[in-house]
Amino acid sequence: MGELTQAELYSNSTTISHQVWNALLNLLGFFFQIFSHIIAPFANYPLLSSSHSFDPLPTIDSPPSSAAVELTSSAAVHHPSLQKLTVVLDLDETLVCAYETSSMPDSLCAQATKAGLNWFELECVSSDKDVEGKPKISYVTVFERPGLKEFLKQVSEFADMVLFTAGLEGYARPLVDRIDTENRFSRRLYRPSTISTEYREHVKDLTCISEDLSRIVIVDNNPFSFLLQPDNGIPCISFSAGQPHDTQLLDVILPLLKHLSNQKSVSNVLREQFHMREWFQKQGIPASC
Protein backbone atom coordinates (compact mmCIF):
# COMPACT_ATOMS: atom_id res chain seq x y z
CA MET A 1 0.00 0.00 0.00
CA GLY A 2 2.86 2.38 0.85
CA GLU A 3 4.54 1.77 -2.50
CA LEU A 4 1.25 2.41 -4.29
CA THR A 5 0.79 5.68 -2.47
CA GLN A 6 4.30 6.83 -3.44
CA ALA A 7 3.64 5.88 -7.06
CA GLU A 8 0.44 7.85 -6.99
CA LEU A 9 2.29 10.82 -5.53
CA TYR A 10 4.99 10.55 -8.19
CA SER A 11 2.36 10.29 -10.92
CA ASN A 12 0.53 13.35 -9.59
CA SER A 13 3.83 15.27 -9.36
CA THR A 14 4.71 14.35 -12.95
CA THR A 15 1.27 15.45 -14.13
CA ILE A 16 1.64 18.81 -12.36
CA SER A 17 5.11 19.30 -13.87
CA HIS A 18 3.74 18.66 -17.36
CA GLN A 19 0.90 21.08 -16.73
CA VAL A 20 3.30 23.77 -15.56
CA TRP A 21 5.58 23.19 -18.56
CA ASN A 22 2.64 23.33 -20.99
CA ALA A 23 1.41 26.50 -19.32
CA LEU A 24 4.85 28.10 -19.77
CA LEU A 25 4.95 27.07 -23.44
CA ASN A 26 1.49 28.50 -24.01
CA LEU A 27 2.51 31.73 -22.29
CA LEU A 28 5.64 32.03 -24.43
CA GLY A 29 3.55 31.35 -27.53
CA PHE A 30 1.11 34.05 -26.48
CA PHE A 31 3.89 36.62 -26.05
CA PHE A 32 5.41 35.61 -29.39
CA GLN A 33 2.09 36.23 -31.13
CA ILE A 34 1.82 39.66 -29.52
CA PHE A 35 5.39 40.50 -30.58
CA SER A 36 4.68 39.31 -34.13
CA HIS A 37 1.63 41.58 -34.36
CA ILE A 38 3.69 44.53 -33.09
CA ILE A 39 6.51 44.18 -35.61
CA ALA A 40 4.38 43.05 -38.54
CA PRO A 41 3.66 46.59 -39.87
CA PHE A 42 7.40 47.26 -40.05
CA ALA A 43 8.51 43.98 -41.56
CA ASN A 44 8.51 45.31 -45.14
CA TYR A 45 9.29 48.94 -44.38
CA PRO A 46 11.60 49.80 -47.31
CA LEU A 47 14.10 51.81 -45.34
CA LEU A 48 14.72 49.21 -42.67
CA SER A 49 14.42 45.92 -44.45
CA SER A 50 17.62 43.93 -44.57
CA SER A 51 16.21 41.45 -47.10
CA HIS A 52 17.22 43.59 -50.07
CA SER A 53 20.62 43.58 -51.74
CA PHE A 54 20.86 47.36 -51.42
CA ASP A 55 20.94 48.57 -47.84
CA PRO A 56 19.63 52.17 -47.69
CA LEU A 57 20.67 52.59 -44.06
CA PRO A 58 24.32 51.64 -43.54
CA THR A 59 25.71 52.32 -40.09
CA ILE A 60 27.22 55.78 -39.82
CA ASP A 61 31.03 55.72 -40.09
CA SER A 62 30.94 52.15 -41.43
CA PRO A 63 32.51 51.28 -44.81
CA PRO A 64 30.14 51.04 -47.78
CA SER A 65 28.13 47.84 -48.00
CA SER A 66 29.20 45.14 -50.43
CA ALA A 67 26.09 45.93 -52.46
CA ALA A 68 27.17 49.57 -52.78
CA VAL A 69 30.61 48.45 -53.98
CA GLU A 70 28.97 46.14 -56.51
CA LEU A 71 26.75 48.94 -57.79
CA THR A 72 29.75 51.25 -58.13
CA SER A 73 31.57 48.63 -60.19
CA SER A 74 28.59 48.09 -62.46
CA ALA A 75 28.50 51.83 -63.17
CA ALA A 76 31.72 51.42 -65.19
CA VAL A 77 29.67 49.80 -67.99
CA HIS A 78 28.32 52.59 -70.19
CA HIS A 79 25.35 52.43 -72.56
CA PRO A 80 25.56 55.50 -74.80
CA SER A 81 22.33 54.58 -76.58
CA LEU A 82 20.30 55.15 -73.41
CA GLN A 83 18.54 58.43 -72.81
CA LYS A 84 20.19 60.43 -70.04
CA LEU A 85 18.85 59.68 -66.57
CA THR A 86 16.87 62.45 -64.86
CA VAL A 87 17.48 62.71 -61.11
CA VAL A 88 14.93 64.74 -59.15
CA LEU A 89 16.28 65.87 -55.77
CA ASP A 90 14.38 67.07 -52.74
CA LEU A 91 15.92 69.90 -50.73
CA ASP A 92 15.12 70.00 -47.00
CA GLU A 93 16.40 67.05 -44.96
CA THR A 94 17.65 65.44 -48.17
CA LEU A 95 20.40 67.80 -49.35
CA VAL A 96 20.38 70.27 -46.44
CA CYS A 97 18.66 71.00 -43.16
CA ALA A 98 17.68 74.49 -42.00
CA TYR A 99 16.71 76.10 -38.72
CA GLU A 100 15.32 79.48 -37.82
CA THR A 101 18.38 81.32 -36.59
CA SER A 102 16.55 83.06 -33.75
CA SER A 103 15.41 79.79 -32.17
CA MET A 104 18.53 77.71 -32.83
CA PRO A 105 20.86 76.83 -29.89
CA ASP A 106 24.08 78.86 -30.01
CA SER A 107 26.15 75.72 -29.55
CA LEU A 108 24.83 74.00 -32.68
CA CYS A 109 26.99 75.89 -35.17
CA ALA A 110 30.07 75.46 -32.99
CA GLN A 111 29.48 71.71 -32.76
CA ALA A 112 28.84 71.45 -36.49
CA THR A 113 31.99 73.43 -37.34
CA LYS A 114 34.08 71.27 -35.01
CA ALA A 115 32.71 68.15 -36.71
CA GLY A 116 33.53 69.56 -40.16
CA LEU A 117 29.97 70.27 -41.27
CA ASN A 118 29.50 73.15 -43.74
CA TRP A 119 26.87 75.73 -42.79
CA PHE A 120 25.81 79.25 -43.67
CA GLU A 121 23.23 81.86 -42.69
CA LEU A 122 20.56 82.95 -45.14
CA GLU A 123 18.19 85.86 -45.46
CA CYS A 124 14.81 84.83 -46.90
CA VAL A 125 11.89 86.89 -48.12
CA SER A 126 8.62 85.63 -46.70
CA SER A 127 5.28 85.70 -48.48
CA ASP A 128 3.82 87.20 -45.31
CA LYS A 129 3.64 90.99 -44.86
CA ASP A 130 4.61 93.08 -41.86
CA VAL A 131 2.43 95.85 -40.38
CA GLU A 132 3.67 98.26 -43.04
CA GLY A 133 2.72 95.89 -45.84
CA LYS A 134 6.32 95.00 -46.68
CA PRO A 135 7.44 91.37 -47.13
CA LYS A 136 8.76 89.88 -43.90
CA ILE A 137 12.42 88.97 -43.77
CA SER A 138 13.41 85.78 -41.97
CA TYR A 139 16.85 84.43 -41.16
CA VAL A 140 17.75 80.77 -41.28
CA THR A 141 20.89 78.76 -40.65
CA VAL A 142 21.49 76.06 -43.25
CA PHE A 143 23.64 72.95 -42.80
CA GLU A 144 24.84 71.08 -45.88
CA ARG A 145 24.66 67.31 -45.89
CA PRO A 146 28.20 65.86 -45.89
CA GLY A 147 29.50 65.32 -49.42
CA LEU A 148 26.85 67.56 -50.99
CA LYS A 149 29.08 69.47 -53.42
CA GLU A 150 30.88 66.33 -54.61
CA PHE A 151 27.58 64.49 -54.92
CA LEU A 152 26.07 67.19 -57.15
CA LYS A 153 29.23 67.28 -59.24
CA GLN A 154 29.32 63.54 -59.84
CA VAL A 155 25.61 63.15 -60.52
CA SER A 156 25.71 65.99 -63.06
CA GLU A 157 28.29 63.99 -65.05
CA PHE A 158 25.82 61.24 -65.97
CA ALA A 159 22.34 62.68 -65.29
CA ASP A 160 20.14 65.73 -65.67
CA MET A 161 19.35 67.11 -62.22
CA VAL A 162 16.08 68.75 -61.21
CA LEU A 163 15.49 70.41 -57.84
CA PHE A 164 11.94 69.75 -56.61
CA THR A 165 11.00 71.09 -53.19
CA ALA A 166 7.75 71.65 -51.34
CA GLY A 167 9.36 74.75 -49.87
CA LEU A 168 8.32 78.25 -50.86
CA GLU A 169 10.41 79.95 -53.52
CA GLY A 170 11.25 82.93 -51.32
CA TYR A 171 13.05 80.53 -48.97
CA ALA A 172 14.29 77.85 -51.36
CA ARG A 173 15.59 79.93 -54.28
CA PRO A 174 18.34 81.82 -52.40
CA LEU A 175 19.26 78.61 -50.60
CA VAL A 176 19.71 76.68 -53.85
CA ASP A 177 21.72 79.60 -55.24
CA ARG A 178 24.21 79.00 -52.41
CA ILE A 179 24.56 75.25 -52.83
CA ASP A 180 24.40 75.18 -56.65
CA THR A 181 26.90 77.83 -57.61
CA GLU A 182 27.75 75.88 -60.79
CA ASN A 183 24.09 75.90 -61.94
CA ARG A 184 23.97 72.13 -62.22
CA PHE A 185 20.19 71.95 -61.77
CA SER A 186 18.49 72.15 -65.15
CA ARG A 187 15.17 73.06 -63.49
CA ARG A 188 13.96 74.21 -60.09
CA LEU A 189 10.43 73.42 -58.96
CA TYR A 190 8.85 74.84 -55.79
CA ARG A 191 5.67 74.32 -53.76
CA PRO A 192 3.25 75.56 -56.46
CA SER A 193 4.42 72.66 -58.65
CA THR A 194 3.29 70.07 -56.08
CA ILE A 195 -0.26 68.75 -56.01
CA SER A 196 -2.75 67.69 -53.34
CA THR A 197 -4.27 64.21 -53.35
CA GLU A 198 -6.92 62.49 -51.31
CA TYR A 199 -4.21 61.14 -49.03
CA ARG A 200 -1.43 63.74 -48.87
CA GLU A 201 -0.62 67.34 -49.78
CA HIS A 202 2.51 68.54 -51.59
CA VAL A 203 2.88 65.37 -53.65
CA LYS A 204 5.47 65.62 -56.43
CA ASP A 205 4.03 64.39 -59.71
CA LEU A 206 6.96 63.49 -61.96
CA THR A 207 4.86 63.79 -65.10
CA CYS A 208 5.25 67.57 -64.84
CA ILE A 209 8.91 66.92 -65.69
CA SER A 210 8.61 64.06 -68.15
CA GLU A 211 5.81 61.89 -69.51
CA ASP A 212 8.34 59.08 -69.96
CA LEU A 213 8.95 57.68 -66.46
CA SER A 214 11.39 54.96 -67.49
CA ARG A 215 14.47 57.15 -66.97
CA ILE A 216 13.47 59.46 -64.12
CA VAL A 217 14.01 58.95 -60.40
CA ILE A 218 13.26 61.05 -57.32
CA VAL A 219 15.31 61.10 -54.10
CA ASP A 220 13.34 62.33 -51.11
CA ASN A 221 13.35 61.80 -47.34
CA ASN A 222 9.53 61.90 -47.42
CA PRO A 223 8.21 58.81 -49.27
CA PHE A 224 4.77 60.41 -49.61
CA SER A 225 6.34 62.89 -52.04
CA PHE A 226 6.43 60.18 -54.72
CA LEU A 227 3.07 58.64 -53.86
CA LEU A 228 1.91 58.91 -57.48
CA GLN A 229 5.01 57.18 -58.87
CA PRO A 230 6.14 54.74 -56.15
CA ASP A 231 8.36 52.77 -58.54
CA ASN A 232 10.44 55.86 -59.31
CA GLY A 233 11.32 56.85 -55.75
CA ILE A 234 14.38 56.41 -53.56
CA PRO A 235 13.51 57.04 -49.89
CA CYS A 236 16.51 58.33 -47.97
CA ILE A 237 17.20 59.05 -44.31
CA SER A 238 16.27 62.50 -43.07
CA PHE A 239 19.35 64.64 -42.44
CA SER A 240 19.81 66.91 -39.42
CA ALA A 241 22.66 68.98 -38.00
CA GLY A 242 23.15 66.30 -35.37
CA GLN A 243 24.49 63.91 -38.03
CA PRO A 244 27.83 65.46 -39.07
CA HIS A 245 29.25 62.09 -40.12
CA ASP A 246 26.34 61.07 -42.36
CA THR A 247 27.54 59.28 -45.54
CA GLN A 248 24.28 58.73 -47.42
CA LEU A 249 24.93 60.92 -50.46
CA LEU A 250 28.29 59.49 -51.55
CA ASP A 251 28.24 55.98 -50.10
CA VAL A 252 24.62 54.97 -50.63
CA ILE A 253 22.62 57.17 -53.01
CA LEU A 254 25.35 57.91 -55.56
CA PRO A 255 26.20 54.23 -56.28
CA LEU A 256 22.52 53.44 -56.78
CA LEU A 257 22.05 56.38 -59.16
CA LYS A 258 25.08 55.25 -61.17
CA HIS A 259 23.59 51.79 -61.40
CA LEU A 260 20.22 53.17 -62.50
CA SER A 261 21.88 55.28 -65.17
CA ASN A 262 22.70 52.04 -67.01
CA GLN A 263 19.19 50.59 -66.85
CA LYS A 264 16.60 50.90 -69.61
CA SER A 265 13.96 51.41 -66.92
CA VAL A 266 14.44 52.40 -63.28
CA SER A 267 11.12 50.99 -62.10
CA ASN A 268 12.11 47.32 -61.98
CA VAL A 269 15.22 48.01 -59.92
CA LEU A 270 13.49 50.35 -57.48
CA ARG A 271 10.43 48.10 -57.12
CA GLU A 272 12.68 45.20 -56.14
CA GLN A 273 14.76 47.41 -53.86
CA PHE A 274 12.17 49.32 -51.84
CA HIS A 275 8.72 47.71 -52.36
CA MET A 276 7.10 51.12 -52.06
CA ARG A 277 3.71 50.00 -53.38
CA GLU A 278 3.42 47.50 -50.54
CA TRP A 279 4.60 50.14 -48.08
CA PHE A 280 1.89 52.56 -49.19
CA GLN A 281 -0.72 49.84 -48.90
CA LYS A 282 0.36 49.32 -45.28
CA GLN A 283 -0.30 53.04 -44.74
CA GLY A 284 -3.85 52.52 -46.00
CA ILE A 285 -3.14 54.01 -49.44
CA PRO A 286 -4.16 51.96 -52.53
CA ALA A 287 -1.33 51.06 -54.86
CA SER A 288 -3.07 52.69 -57.83
CA CYS A 289 -4.02 55.95 -56.11
Side-chain angles (χ1 to χ4, degrees), residues 5-244:
T5 303
Q6 289 178 359
E8 290 175 345
L9 288 173
Y10 177 76
S11 176
N12 290 338
S13 176
T14 302
T15 301
I16 293 173
S17 297
H18 281 299
Q19 291 174 344
V20 172
W21 179 246
N22 288 334
L24 287 174
L25 288 177
N26 290 334
L27 187 62
L28 288 173
F30 175 71
F31 280 121
F32 179 77
Q33 290 179 355
I34 293 177
F35 179 71
S36 298
H37 284 300
I38 292 174
I39 66 172
F42 302 96
N44 291 320
Y45 188 74
L47 294 182
L48 301 178
S49 173
S50 59
S51 63
H52 312 308
S53 60
F54 178 73
D55 181 6
L57 293 179
T59 305
I60 291 177
D61 293 333
S62 67
S65 65
S66 59
V69 174
E70 181 181 346
L71 291 178
T72 304
S73 300
S74 68
V77 181
H78 298 290
H79 301 280
S81 61
L82 292 176
Q83 178 186 350
K84 203 170 187 180
L85 183 70
T86 297
V87 176
V88 181
L89 296 169
D90 174 48
L91 183 61
D92 288 297
E93 298 181 47
T94 296
L95 300 181
V96 302
C97 63
Y99 304 84
E100 287 189 8
T101 303
S102 60
S103 59
M104 188 183 68
D106 295 336
S107 60
L108 194 58
C109 289
Q111 293 173 355
T113 302
K114 185 177 180 180
L117 204 61
N118 294 328
W119 62 274
F120 55 87
E121 293 182 343
L122 193 68
E123 180 182 287
C124 302
V125 179
S126 172
S127 58
D128 297 330
K129 307 290 184 180
D130 59 19
V131 292
E132 298 178 355
K134 298 179 181 179
K136 288 185 178 180
I137 303 297
S138 59
Y139 298 90
V140 297
T141 301
V142 181
F143 296 85
E144 296 180 6
R145 194 163 199 160
L148 174 60
K149 294 294 199 310
E150 182 62 24
F151 173 78
L152 296 179
K153 175 180 179 296
Q154 291 200 40
V155 173
S156 68
E157 293 172 356
F158 61 85
D160 288 325
M161 294 193 301
V162 176
L163 189 285
F164 200 166
T165 175
L168 295 172
E169 184 173 357
Y171 153 75
R173 181 178 50 77
L175 197 165
V176 180
D177 286 342
R178 289 290 297 269
I179 67 173
D180 183 30
T181 55
E182 302 295 327
N183 293 316
R184 292 192 167 101
F185 288 115
S186 61
R187 293 180 66 183
R188 298 181 184 183
L189 302 175
Y190 305 101
R191 182 175 296 180
S193 296
T194 65
I195 65 173
S196 295
T197 70
E198 177 185 354
Y199 301 96
R200 282 294 189 280
E201 295 181 344
H202 308 313
V203 175
K204 301 172 182 178
D205 185 0
L206 298 180
T207 60
C208 74
I209 300 172
S210 173
E211 290 293 336
D212 181 7
L213 299 177
S214 63
R215 299 279 295 164
I216 184 170
V217 60
I218 178 171
V219 181
D220 203 309
N221 71 297
N222 179 11
F224 293 105
S225 293
F226 43 85
L227 185 152
L228 295 179
Q229 292 93 20
D231 296 332
N232 295 79
I234 298 177
C236 69
I237 316 174
S238 297
F239 169 64
S240 71
Q243 300 166 294

